[in-house]
Each structure stands twice: as structure tokens, then as C-alpha cells.
Amino acid sequence: MAKISINLATGSFQKEEIIVGIDLGTTNSLVAFINPDKDPQVINDAGKGILVPSVVYFNNQNEAIVGNEAKEFLTTDPANTIFSVKRLLGRSYKDVAEHKDIFSYKIIDDDSDALVKIQAGNRFYTPIELSAEILKELKARAEHALKTPVNRAVITVPAYFNDSQRQATRDAGKLAGLDVMRIVNEPTAASLAYGIGLDPTQQKTIAVYDLGGGTFDVSILQIQNGIFEVLATNGNTYLGGDDFDRSILNYWLEKNNLDVNVVAQDNILMQTLRLQAEAAKKALSTQNLYNEQVGEIWCTIDKQTFEQLIAVKVEETITACKNALKDAGLTASDIDEVILVGGSTRTPFVKQAVENFFGKKPQDNINPDEVVALGAAIQADVLAGNRSDILLLDVTPLSLGIETMGGLMDVIIARNSKVPTKAGRQYTTSIDGQVNMKISVYQGERDLVKENRKLAEFDLKGIPAMPAGLPKVDINFLLNADGILTVQAIELRSGVKQEIEITPSYGLSDDTVEKMLMDSITHAKSDVAQRMLIEARSEGEQLVYTAEGFIKKHAEHLTETEVAETVAHIEALKNALSSLEKDIILKKADELNEFTRPFAERVMDAAIYTAMKGKKIE
Ligand code: ADP
Ligand code: MG
């Protein structure tokens, strides 16, 4: 079915709606599309530049400012300037606690497995909302430059992203008003940009070396019949070009006899020097000497010194390449092509190290900080059906998932996943001694299950009585090539198991699918807002439940005042729960958490932590 749409800006007919490709990066993000000459092209909106720094600043009115403009507030208002949000996407505080020093803004520490939240001004944001701000900016730039509405996108993620990080990326797209056609691995997109994998008869093994601003990863991919399989990934999510900048900065401080700790007091000077160091690094990609002055400070460095400074870091990336090959069961000579991705691969020393290790010249004709977005645009073009030469594999038209607390849809197999496919996730109980768990399976794109299509329901019975949060229930979805879905639930501690079979496509017409998709786009914003409120309330209710239980059980470890104050905090949270304000609930929950943490540590009771683990099913 061909769609015809009218370009509102030009009044002309447009045959196909454009689907853009988006590289949502840790340091920089950008958007690309397939131009009328059928070539992928990055979008540069009215000379604003191609790269949008992945930085979000919130001003006094809680308005979000994104990109270069936001970056300027890194020194003047660091508490409200959010960078590197990709590191937090789909992660819990526990996941990132070890590295919390690199963040200059407040990450809410509720010491649980719940997803992190960030405070800026008097509001709380999830990494999904923050990433959505970046995506909105990209969408707006694309619409402005292309003079047409942009509603559909392919978004890339690192190959090592887990299910929860991918889902978070999808949600961010949705919140930005984008229908996310597919989540594609960054190394896959980079290969597509080089035309690798477009020919279904081609069979190749490739290595993609990606050194960005703050992260490094290497992926070994096998391409066969147009299918990309990730054989291995390796890397370090806290190693990148920023480290190179820091080495130069430290070198200058030393050469100028300046004490790091003293200079560090002066935020503005520090930032100026850091930017100067980055400029020096970039300059040394094409010249042998950099020589500037910042006030009294000499900022001089030659290429050879720079290379000595970064040698250890670069060697670390090569070790990761070795490990990736080993995990894939391959040697360097098995690799047909090496592809360079990420701005930091512009450094000739890095390029040379990669070439030496793999024993062949890496592909570097395409701009390394654009290659992923360009590949995403190609993937989008394939999905739009504009490339008849490429086979499109069978995909599920609608997402499949289960109901979690508060009536939320938790997607297990996302729409557009290739079949056959399997996916699973772990859940837990919300009430002490809960022995049954109702599992309801739904299909659809809306955030609330009541708006989706119910496929089946069954009870997992005979879970041994345990405190809330302790049972580990694995729910696995297996969708076979014939479109039959097997849902299996198993409680891991006891081995209790239950399984059913469903045919999700039964009674589902194309019109229904289309209507369900349209509805999800129309209601995307209100859906996500509702979901966040429900999540905040579920978390808050659970906290009240555990805190009350804790006080009852451990009153003897607390003084009377401590008990009274905890009760007051609980009451404040209860009041907040009856409001419909997500931010107030999160704030009160945070306060209760902060207040009770020392007691929990005192009592050394693991239960209060474990009770808050994982998603709960009522
Ligand atoms: P990410 O994928 O993490 O968002 P990018 O691929 O955009 O990051 O890479 C950003 C990094 O690339 C920064 O550290 C930047 O300083 C570095 N970079 C950009 N241009 C050059 C250059 N010409 N030489 C060396 N490094 C560069
Ligand atoms: Mg990148």
C-alpha cells in the first residue's frame, strides 16, 4: 500500500514519508536521511552544525535547552546541566554507583535496583525524558531542514546494550513523538554505511572499532544472508577521547608548575583549559605542534608527547580487541574488514594502532562521527521498502508483553523484532508471603495494558512463601517462525513452572494493526506521562510498605525520635501518593530513603533493599 502525503511547507505531494536515522550518542548525537539522489546524508540545520552535543540544560523555568548552547552551562551551572545521559539509560543506581563521581548533577540514590532519576532544579527526570529532549531537538532540526514533518526514525544503540537499555531508548523516541521503527546496533549501522551487508549473498566477518568521547567498544560481527550477528563485544564504557583531553590538561599544568587541586577550584579556568586541550588534541590529528596561551599559562604540546601520553589508553583498547577476537573464537587474520567509528579514531596514533593489530588498513573514508547515523538512515530506507534489492525479514507487527504493577505494559518482544525470536525478563512479588502470581499477556504499543489487546492470562501457583521481592520469576517469550508465542514462567528458587501457547495474530487484521499503531502515536505523550506517574506511585507505595514493616520489625534498634521522624516521613510520602504529582512523590520517597538508610545499615538487614528489587507483578 503506497502512502501519499502532502508536504505542508512546500504544498507539494510527497510519495513516501521520510524515515530518519539517528545516532543518539554519549557525547554527540546527529540525524541523517536518504536524499533525493538516494544517498545517505547527515542533516545540518541552517548551519547549526551536524553534531548536537548530548547535553541538556534546565533553566529557571525548567525549560530544556539542548546542544552547544547547553554545553556552555557545564561550568557556570553544572548542577542543572546533564551530560552523558546515555550512560544512565535503562540503568539502576547500583549499576552506576561506582562511577558517580564523573557526574556533576544529582543522581537520586535510592540504593535499589529501580531505574535512576536525575534532579535538576526542583524537578526529577528519568534518563528517558532527558534522552527524549535530545531526540526532540534532532527531530526539530530534521523537520526544519527538510521542511517536512518527521515522525518515524531508526535509532542506534551500542551492541552491548541490554534489553532494558534498548527499551529505554525506544521509550525516549516515543516520548519525543517519534515512531521508532527499529533499534539498530551501532556497529551494524556503521557496516551498512560502508555498504557491507547490503548484498544478501555476501558473507563477511568484520571488526568495528568505536572510540568516542567517553566510551570505547569493539564488536566482531558476522554477516550472512543479510543478517548481522554479533559474535562478541568488548570495551570500556569509561574510556574515550575525554581521557586524552585530561592527559593533555595534566601535562600543561605540570609544565606550568601549577597544582591541579588549586586550579580545580577555579571552575571557569579549568573548563577553558579542558576545551583548549580538546582543541590541541584535534589539531594534532593533522599537525605536529600545538601552541597557544591561556592568560599566563602556556598551552604547548607536540604530537610525539601527546602520543606518549595516550599510549597506555590506546593499548587498553587493543587488549579489548584481543579479548573480543578470543571470545569470538577468531584470530586477526579471520577479519575481512575493520571499520573505524567515533571521533577519537581521527587521532592518527589510534588509527595506526588498530592497523598494526589487525594487520590491515581500516576503513576510514566515511567521517567516523557520522558513519553510524548514515548507516541508520540506510536501515530506515530499507524498512521504508525503498530498496527492493534487500530482503526484509518477517517481523512482529505489534509488541508483546505482560502486565506489571499499576496496569502497565512491560514489553518483552518489541514490535518489528525479527522472528523467530526469544526474550525474557525477571520479575518479583510485591507482597510478603505471596504464593500466586497472575501473568497477563498483552499485545500493543500503548503504555497501559487496558488500551492494548489481551491475549491470555494464567496463574503461576505454588511459589513458596517468601518476603516480597525475594522470589525470582523468569518470564520468557518465545515467538517461533509460524507466529506462535510460548510464554513460560518459572520461579527460580523453587523451580515452580507454568507454560502456555498463544497465536498473537489470531483475529488480527491489517486495519487493526494500523489503528493500534496510529493510536499509540497519537497518545504517546500522555501515555508516557501516565506511565511515569504510575511507576512513581508503585515505587512510593512499595517504599511505604517496606518502611512500615521495617519499623515494626526493628523498633528496638531505633530511638523514639528516629521512629517518630520516620513515621512522619512515611506520612509525608503517603500524602504525596494521593497527589497526582510525580515530582512530589519522588521527592518524598527520596527524603524517606535518605532518612532511613543509616538505620537499615545499622540493622544490616538486607531485606529492606531486596524488597525493592525488580519489577513487581501484583
Ligand atoms: P560519542 O559516540 O561518544 O557520542 P563521538 O563519536 O562524537 O562520541 O566522539 C567524540 C570524541 O571525538 C570527542 O572526545 C572529541 O574530542 C573527539 N574528536 C573529534 N574530532 C577529533 C579529531 N579531529 N581528532 C581527535 N579527536 C577528535
Ligand atoms: Mg558514537
Side-chain angles (χ1 to χ4, degrees):
M1 184 178 61
K3 283 200 193 87
I4 291 180
S5 51
I6 297 169
N7 183 327
L8 294 176
T10 60
S12 61
F13 281 105
Q14 207 164 293
K15 222 172 82 216
E16 281 295 338
E17 194 190 334
I18 290 173
I19 310 179
V20 294
I22 293 178
D23 173 3
L24 183 62
T26 309
T27 317
N28 296 303
S29 298
L30 65 156
V31 50
F33 75 115
I34 301 292
N35 68 21
D37 296 333
K38 297 272 164 217
D39 291 322
Q41 183 183 331
V42 291
I43 288 173
N44 185 354
D45 177 26
K48 283 186 189 165
I50 291 161
L51 301 182
V52 178
S54 305
V55 183
V56 184
Y57 171 68
F58 288 97
N59 66 15
N60 291 339
Q61 286 84 49
N62 291 317
E63 290 161 340
I65 294 163
V66 176
N68 274 315
E69 224 181 302
K71 211 174 159 183
E72 308 205 338
F73 291 97
L74 277 173
T75 36
T76 52
D77 192 2
N80 297 312
T81 314
I82 324 293
F83 61 91
S84 282
V85 65
K86 187 172 176 179
R87 295 180 190 285
L88 303 175
L89 206 53
R91 316 232 89 199
S92 72
Y93 183 78
K94 280 187 176 167
D95 292 332
V96 297
E98 192 193 331
H99 296 282
K100 70 171 191 295
D101 295 346
I102 75 152
F103 304 101
S104 52
Y105 44 89
K106 186 172 180 215
I107 302 177
I108 305 303
D109 169 10
D110 59 2
D111 212 343
S112 76
D113 284 346
L115 298 181
V116 297
K117 282 160 215 84
I118 291 135
Q119 188 175 3
N122 53 0
R123 296 231 182 144
F124 292 80
Y125 301 92
T126 61
I128 296 174
E129 291 170 289
L130 298 166
S131 304
E133 292 299 337
I134 299 169
L135 291 170
K136 273 187 222 166
E137 174 70 21
L138 295 170
K139 175 176 175 339
R141 287 193 185 193
E143 289 178 334
H144 189 247
L146 302 176
K147 301 190 172 44
T148 175
V150 171
N151 298 314
R152 300 198 286 171
V154 165
I155 305 179
T156 58
V157 297
Y160 58 78
F161 255 28
N162 65 23
D163 200 43
S164 149
Q165 293 168 299
R166 285 166 197 263
Q167 186 56 39
T169 306
R170 237 174 222 290
D171 285 349
K174 201 164 159 182
L175 194 56
L178 289 169
D179 179 11
V180 182
M181 302 295 293
R182 192 166 289 180
I183 296 289
V184 176
N185 287 331
E186 288 162 11
T188 301
S191 316
L192 288 173
Y194 276 104
I196 303 169
L198 287 173
D199 171 5
T201 62
Q202 193 180 48
Q203 186 173 332
K204 272 192 170 167
T205 308
I206 64 165
V208 181
Y209 176 102
D210 182 348
L211 189 60
T215 62
F216 165 68
D217 55 275
V218 55
S219 311
I220 312 293
L221 306 182
Q222 171 130 51
I223 302 157
Q224 222 169 351
N225 305 324
I227 298 174
F228 287 76
E229 190 189 349
V230 181
L231 297 181
T233 66
N234 208 298
N236 180 346
T237 48
Y238 291 87
L239 168 69
D242 298 348
D243 295 296
F244 298 174
D245 305 346
R246 221 164 295 130
S247 318
I248 296 179
L249 173 64
N250 289 337
Y251 168 77
W252 285 342
L253 293 179
E254 198 186 303
K255 283 281 153 193
N256 286 276
N257 290 317
L258 291 166
D259 184 339
V260 188
N261 297 317
V262 176
V263 180
Q265 309 279 322
D266 187 344
N267 250 335
I268 308 262
L269 176 63
M270 202 60 178
Q271 179 72 358
T272 312
L273 287 172
R274 212 193 55 74
L275 290 175
Q276 196 74 239
E278 188 183 5
K281 171 187 75 176
K282 289 184 182 172
L284 292 176
S285 289
T286 48
Q287 66 200 50
N288 291 321
L289 183 70
Y290 184 84
N291 195 359
E292 287 289 332
Q293 216 177 338
V294 172
E296 300 286 282
I297 305 172
W298 279 100
C299 297
T300 307
I301 186 163
D302 62 42
K303 195 170 169 183
Q304 201 187 351
T305 311
F306 170 60
E307 293 177 351
Q308 280 162 6
L309 291 176
I310 64 169
V312 173
K313 297 277 173 203
V314 176
E315 194 46 45
E316 213 182 295
T317 70
I318 298 301
T319 306
C321 293
K322 260 182 218 155
N323 292 334
L325 278 180
K326 199 165 132 221
D327 290 347
L330 301 173
T331 60
S333 60
D334 295 322
I335 301 295
D336 300 312
E337 312 264 7
V338 181
I339 294 177
L340 292 181
V341 178
S344 301
T345 61
R346 289 232 180 90
T347 294
F349 184 71
V350 171
K351 230 180 251 195
Q352 192 59 51
V354 177
E355 179 174 342
N356 292 350
F357 175 72
F358 286 101
K360 58 170 61 72
K361 256 208 166 337
Q363 302 258 25
D364 64 351
N365 310 336
I366 305 178
N367 208 328
D369 36 40
E370 297 176 359
V371 61
V372 168
L374 292 168
I378 295 175
Q379 175 73 45
D381 200 39
V382 172
L383 288 175
N386 296 339
R387 288 175 178 242
S388 52
D389 51 326
I390 292 165
L391 97 165
L392 271 175
L393 298 146
D394 266 350
V395 296
T396 53
L398 293 168
S399 303
L400 297 163
I402 63 163
E403 175 176 2
T404 55
M405 263 183 63
L408 289 177
M409 171 87 172
D410 204 29
V411 172
I412 297 195
I413 294 180
R415 170 164 96 83
N416 273 331
S417 301
K418 277 182 245 161
V419 290
T421 181
K422 62 172 189 235
R425 206 168 291 173
Q426 201 169 81
Y427 297 88
T428 188
T429 53
S430 58
I431 298 166
D432 290 337
Q434 186 175 335
V435 292
N436 287 342
M437 193 184 252
K438 188 167 82 188
I439 290 149
S440 308
V441 185
Y442 284 84
Q443 175 178 47
E445 308 314 307
R446 303 290 299 273
D447 285 83
L448 294 180
V449 290
K450 68 176 200 294
E451 314 282 358
N452 288 332
R453 189 166 172 251
K454 189 170 191 170
L455 297 175
E457 186 177 281
F458 65 98
D459 280 315
L460 179 65
K461 289 190 186 138
I463 303 171
M466 281 182 256
L470 229 45
K472 288 184 175 172
V473 178
D474 261 358
I475 297 191
N476 293 303
F477 276 35
L478 186 115
L479 187 61
N480 74 13
D482 300 325
I484 295 166
L485 175 70
T486 307
V487 178
Q488 186 197 60
I490 175 164
E491 200 286 310
L492 296 178
R493 294 179 196 270
S494 58
V496 188
K497 193 165 142 182
Q498 180 78 37
E499 195 176 278
I500 52 162
E501 258 186 24
I502 318 162
T503 311
S505 60
Y506 186 77
L508 194 66
S509 66
D510 284 355
D511 288 351
T512 318
V513 174
E514 191 160 333
K515 178 164 184 333
M516 288 173 85
L517 292 177
M518 282 311 292
D519 282 351
S520 77
I521 298 165
T522 332
H523 296 100
K525 272 191 193 151
S526 59
D527 267 18
V528 180
Q530 268 198 67
R531 164 132 72 125
M532 286 178 178
L533 175 62
I534 292 173
E535 277 172 357
R537 291 183 77 173
S538 300
E539 259 180 74
E541 280 162 12
Q542 200 63 38
L543 189 59
V544 167
Y545 181 80
T546 39
E548 285 183 336
F550 182 81
I551 291 200
K552 258 192 224 134
K553 209 163 144 201
H554 300 292
E556 79 271 16
H557 296 286
L558 310 180
T559 67
E560 260 175 46
T561 356
E562 283 173 344
V563 173
E565 283 191 46
T566 308
V567 170
H569 276 295
I570 294 176
E571 284 311 310
L573 175 56
K574 280 184 177 168
N575 281 335
L577 283 170
S578 51
S579 79
L580 292 174
E581 293 283 340
K582 175 195 85 170
D583 285 306
I584 299 179
I585 298 171
L586 292 176
K587 185 156 191 286
K588 294 298 162 197
D590 186 39
E591 285 169 6
L592 173 59
N593 255 319
E594 289 281 327
F595 187 74
T596 54
R597 174 157 335 112
F599 311 154
E601 278 162 10
R602 197 184 304 163
V603 181
M604 296 272 286
D605 186 335
I608 193 162
Y609 294 124
T610 48
M612 289 180 279
K613 270 189 188 166
K615 288 200 181 172
K616 281 114 191 158
I617 296 179
E618 268 166 316

